[in-house]
Amino acid sequence: MYLLLLREELLENDSTLVKKCDEELRGLLDMSQKSTTEEMQKAFHRQQQLYETLFQSKMNIIPELQQELESKNKTHLDILKRNEEDINVMTEQMKEQMQLKVKEYREELIQKVRHHQEEISAILSNDMEEWDQGLKKVLDREDVWLRGEKNGDDNGDNGVTCLPRWTLSSQLWQ
């Protein structure tokens, strides 16, 4: 803020100096028509001093403006560095969150696979029991049928039909 006020003040001073220089130049032009060489030299000398003052004031403004520019650049670089650090921190946090999510999903998948395997094992176990029971029934029927055939009992009183052995096993699922 201080630099802005200073800049405005310097620009006002410069505009005043420029006006004075212009007035002196007009005066010189008027004088050149009416005056002598000595007056012209004095006026020229005054004009030279005014221009030197104007030049010097411009030269004084340049370092101040350069300093202001350097200050703004430094501030901008500091902001960029802080932003870079913030981005790096957020990137690391995102990586950590991603690793945690992958771990959670992996554990969830493992639990689901275990549960699925348990269900399959239970279904398989039930199917095997049913298969064993059905096979036992068929074997028992065949055994009864074979005993009946050995005894010469063909009348079918034992409740087993006289069918070939391969047909009895197909009755398992009826």
Side-chain angles (χ1 to χ4, degrees):
M1 189 66 171
Y2 167 74
L3 289 175
L4 289 175
L5 293 174
L6 181 64
R7 186 187 314 167
E8 287 177 14
E9 184 180 319
L10 289 173
L11 288 174
E12 278 181 25
N13 289 342
D14 284 347
S15 64
T16 308
L17 281 174
V18 169
K19 286 179 185 175
K20 283 183 183 179
C21 287
D22 288 343
E23 287 173 11
E24 281 293 320
L25 189 56
R26 274 190 234 112
L28 275 176
L29 290 174
D30 289 341
M31 204 181 276
S32 67
Q33 296 169 355
K34 304 176 189 173
S35 39
T36 63
T37 317
E38 189 176 308
E39 289 175 353
M40 289 287 285
Q41 284 180 348
K42 286 181 183 178
F44 178 71
H45 186 63
R46 280 192 313 263
Q47 184 69 26
Q48 220 175 9
Q49 286 177 345
L50 281 172
Y51 279 122
E52 278 183 34
T53 307
L54 179 65
F55 180 75
Q56 199 59 36
S57 69
K58 297 284 183 189
M59 292 305 288
N60 289 339
I61 292 174
I62 290 172
E64 292 171 3
L65 292 175
Q66 285 175 335
Q67 185 179 11
E68 183 181 349
L69 179 65
E70 288 174 8
S71 171
K72 297 281 182 184
N73 282 343
K74 184 178 179 188
T75 303
H76 183 69
L77 285 174
D78 289 344
I79 290 171
L80 287 175
K81 285 178 184 177
R82 274 185 268 139
N83 287 346
E84 181 183 18
E85 290 171 1
D86 290 346
I87 288 172
N88 288 340
V89 166
M90 287 192 312
T91 303
E92 286 300 315
Q93 288 175 347
M94 288 172 66
K95 283 180 183 177
E96 289 173 5
Q97 287 176 354
M98 193 170 69
Q99 289 173 348
L100 285 173
K101 286 294 180 188
V102 165
K103 185 179 177 182
E104 288 174 11
Y105 291 149
R106 186 175 290 135
E107 289 173 1
E108 184 180 335
L109 180 64
I110 289 170
Q111 288 176 355
K112 286 183 179 184
V113 166
R114 283 184 188 147
H115 179 71
H116 183 67
Q117 287 175 343
E118 289 171 359
E119 285 179 351
I120 289 175
S121 294
I123 291 171
L124 185 61
S125 175
N126 288 339
D127 287 350
M128 290 299 288
E129 285 178 24
E130 287 177 14
W131 176 263
D132 288 343
Q133 289 172 1
L135 189 59
K136 185 177 179 192
K137 284 181 186 177
V138 168
L139 291 175
D140 287 347
R141 284 183 189 167
E142 285 180 354
D143 193 36
V144 168
W145 181 73
L146 286 174
R147 269 190 257 141
E149 204 173 82
K150 281 184 184 177
N151 292 341
D153 193 15
D154 272 345
N155 60 3
D157 289 341
N158 56 11
V160 178
T161 1
C162 295
L163 295 174
R165 196 173 172 98
W166 59 272
T167 18
L168 287 177
S169 62
S170 66
Q171 291 178 357
L172 170 67
W173 305 112
Q174 293 179 356

